[in-house]
């Protein structure tokens, strides 16, 4: 299944502004059996953790104090295998952000918006998206030693950063 990063909307069927209950139901409707409540700290608003079998997406859906989705973080569905072997893909502007080399994704982003790169993190503030190279792709590096592919992406609503 292909999931599309849609700034200001979300990653359908995970939508910014939806309730966590609506998002849980949408994920379960897609066959994600492991959808659990999650909190990093007791005083933080609620969130969901979702995980599928090998080749399926995993990630987090973060909510505000009112239980409305404010950010969606998705991890590469199959980081230990060759890019493109996953059952699910995550796309932005026609590119699979996990199987396309990070530099190509960055070039696509910079063609349409400002991009801030800091270490393993690449932020497109106008799109409220952050891409990360941290994680399990360190066996595939580019010519300067950075992970060649992104390992996660976060899409947030306005005011999240």
């Amino acid at each position: 299944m292909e999931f599309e990063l849609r700034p200001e909307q979300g990653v359908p069927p995970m939508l910014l502004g939806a309730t966590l209950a609506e998002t849980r139901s949408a994920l379960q409707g897609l066959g994600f059996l492991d959808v659990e409540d999650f909190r990093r700290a007791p005083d933080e608003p609620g969130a969901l953790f979702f995980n599928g079998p090998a080749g399926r997406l995993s990630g987090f859906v973060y909510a505000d104090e009112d239980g409305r989705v404010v950010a969606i973080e998705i991890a590469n569905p199959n980081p230990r295998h060759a890019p493109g072997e996953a059952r699910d893909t995550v796309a932005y502007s026609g590119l699979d952000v996990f199987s396309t080399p990070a530099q190509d994704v960055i070039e696509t982003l910079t063609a349409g918006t400002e991009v801030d790169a800091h270490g393993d993190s690449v932020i497109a503030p106008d799109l409220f998206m952050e891409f990360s190279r941290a994680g399990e792709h360190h066996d595939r590096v580019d010519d300067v030693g950075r992970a060649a592919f992104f390992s996660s992406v976060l899409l947030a609503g306005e005011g999240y950063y």
Side-chain angles (χ1 to χ4, degrees):
M1 169 170 264
E2 181 173 294
F3 293 86
E4 184 179 351
L5 297 168
R6 295 184 186 170
E8 299 182 31
Q9 274 190 300
V11 187
M14 297 172 280
L15 302 174
L16 297 172
T19 66
L20 286 179
E22 291 166 337
T23 305
R24 177 192 306 277
S25 178
L27 286 166
Q28 289 171 332
L30 293 175
F32 286 93
L33 302 177
D34 192 7
V35 183
E36 302 173 4
D37 292 327
F38 173 80
R39 287 183 193 267
R40 287 188 216 191
D43 60 338
E44 287 190 359
L48 294 174
F49 166 73
F50 62 95
N51 189 29
R56 296 294 318 255
L57 297 175
S58 64
F60 299 92
V61 178
Y62 303 103
D64 62 13
E65 295 80 20
D66 296 325
R68 298 283 176 176
V69 175
V70 294
I72 302 155
E73 182 178 8
I74 300 174
N76 184 344
N78 212 355
R80 291 194 173 102
H81 297 292
E85 288 185 359
R87 216 169 80 194
D88 293 331
T89 60
V90 178
Y92 177 73
S93 195
L95 298 176
D96 178 344
V97 301
F98 295 133
S99 69
T100 303
Q103 191 56 45
D104 293 348
V105 175
I106 293 168
E107 288 172 12
T108 297
L109 288 168
T110 57
T113 191
E114 185 177 318
V115 173
D116 298 324
H118 302 285
D120 289 334
S121 179
V122 175
I123 299 172
D126 292 343
L127 300 174
F128 305 102
M129 290 195 298
E130 180 176 357
F131 297 82
S132 175
R133 296 179 195 224
E136 301 184 34
H137 275 309
H138 295 292
D139 56 333
R140 291 187 294 271
V141 296
D142 63 16
D143 55 352
V144 293
R146 292 178 303 216
F149 297 90
F150 286 117
S151 56
S152 67
V153 61
L154 182 133
L155 186 144
E158 189 171 342
Y160 184 79
Y161 288 104

